[in-house]
Structure formats: structure tokens, C-alpha cells
Amino acid sequence: MVLIKNILAVIITVAFFVPVELEKKVVLDNKVEILIPKGWKPMNEELIKIKYPGARPPKLVYSDVSGGISLAFNHTDSKAAPENLEKYKEVLKTSLENAYPDARWEEEGIKDINGKKVGFFRVVTDTNNDKIYNYMVFTDLEGRLLICSFNCIEKKIKEWKPIAQDIMNSLRFK
């Protein structure tokens, strides 16, 4: 019995501390390159509509098997230019504040990722079931607004926050 408990303890420890392996993916018709956790798959349209119930859900979402941790891409029809990033940041923040008045804002700003100027938010929002960590990056791509959004459930934030940072910092635009 002690042997079985020790084996289970080792399995659980390994399962929780195995580092997430990232692999390069090229998405959005070869316009964006990004690191995505190995084994993540594109979410089907039905699940996208459930997870993102708004009028304009993202067109592409990669997620873990549970769907609780995901990376979404939405190349919108809204016109965008690099000189307007601050304006987009204010509009998007106001929209998020209206949708999630109890949100906890961790960081926002404009920065450079691999030679591209981007706006970003790191914010924790409430849902009916849980709190969700969101790391959003937005920029112009081919004259239209591109929003990339990583999110995970609150109990996974500690593990996934640094990985989300690595994922977003890997963005390359072609």
C-alpha cells in the first residue's frame, strides 16, 4: 500500500511540474507566427461560440483539451494604423470596463514585440463560474485591427502567467 501511495505521489508531482513545451505555429494565412503549447488544437466553431458568446467571436482559437486555457486571434474588420494604438487602447479598455466593472487591472500599455508596436492589457475578469486571467495584445495588421488574447481560469494563473508572457513575446508579424 505504501508503494502505491509513493508511486501516485511521484505521478502527481511530475504531472504538476512538467514544463509546458511551446512550438512554433504560423496562423492567419501565414501572417502571424507565434509559440503555442504543444498539443493545443484549434477549437471548433461550436465551442468558440459558447466560450466567446459576443456578436463578434474570434475566428481562430487554440486551446488545451479542457478549453479552460486558450489563445484567440481576431483579425477584425476595423481599420487600424500604428499611430492610433493609444486610441485603440482607450476604446478597448472602456469596452472591457463596461463589460467587466469589477475587473482587476494588472497592467496596460504600449510596447514593442519583435519590431512591432503593440498595445496590451493584463486583466482578471469575473464570470459566473470563475475569475479569468486575460492577456491581450492588439496591433494593426494589413490595415486592420488584430487582437490576440490568452486566457486561463484563476486557479491556473500562477502556472500560466509566465507562459502567457512567453507566448505573447514570441509574436512575429509577416
Side-chain angles (χ1 to χ4, degrees), residues 32-45:
V32 176
E33 180 181 292
I34 191 166
L35 293 176
I36 294 178
K38 199 170 197 172
W40 278 23
K41 303 285 183 219
M43 195 179 274
N44 67 42
E45 275 188 60

Side-chain angles (χ1 to χ4, degrees), residues 96-159:
L96 287 167
E97 287 173 331
N98 289 337
Y100 303 100
D102 296 329
R104 187 177 80 238
W105 292 86
E106 292 188 354
E107 189 178 9
E108 65 179 271
I110 294 182
K111 64 182 180 177
D112 184 89
I113 296 179
N114 296 313
K116 181 78 166 166
K117 192 173 174 183
V118 302
F120 71 95
F121 299 121
R122 290 189 312 110
V123 60
V124 178
T125 56
D126 290 320
T127 66
N128 293 337
N129 305 328
D130 209 342
K131 291 185 183 293
I132 307 293
Y133 171 74
N134 301 275
Y135 184 174
M136 298 174 63
V137 171
F138 50 93
T139 192
D140 64 294
L141 181 65
E142 296 183 335
R144 296 183 295 148
L145 186 63
L146 171 66
I147 302 172
C148 301
S149 179
F150 174 92
N151 63 55
C152 73
I153 54 177
E154 183 178 39
K155 63 185 169 196
K156 301 280 188 168
I157 290 174
K158 188 175 181 180
E159 172 189 356

Side-chain angles (χ1 to χ4, degrees), residues 42-81:
M43 195 179 274
N44 67 42
E45 275 188 60
E46 272 181 33
L47 287 176
I48 290 174
K49 287 178 184 174
I50 292 168
K51 185 166 179 157
Y52 302 90
R56 290 175 267 162
K59 294 168 180 54
L60 175 63
V61 179
Y62 280 88
S63 74
D64 68 343
V65 292
S66 74
I69 306 169
S70 61
L71 180 64
F73 301 89
N74 197 357
H75 195 191
T76 70
D77 292 328
S78 300
K79 291 185 189 257

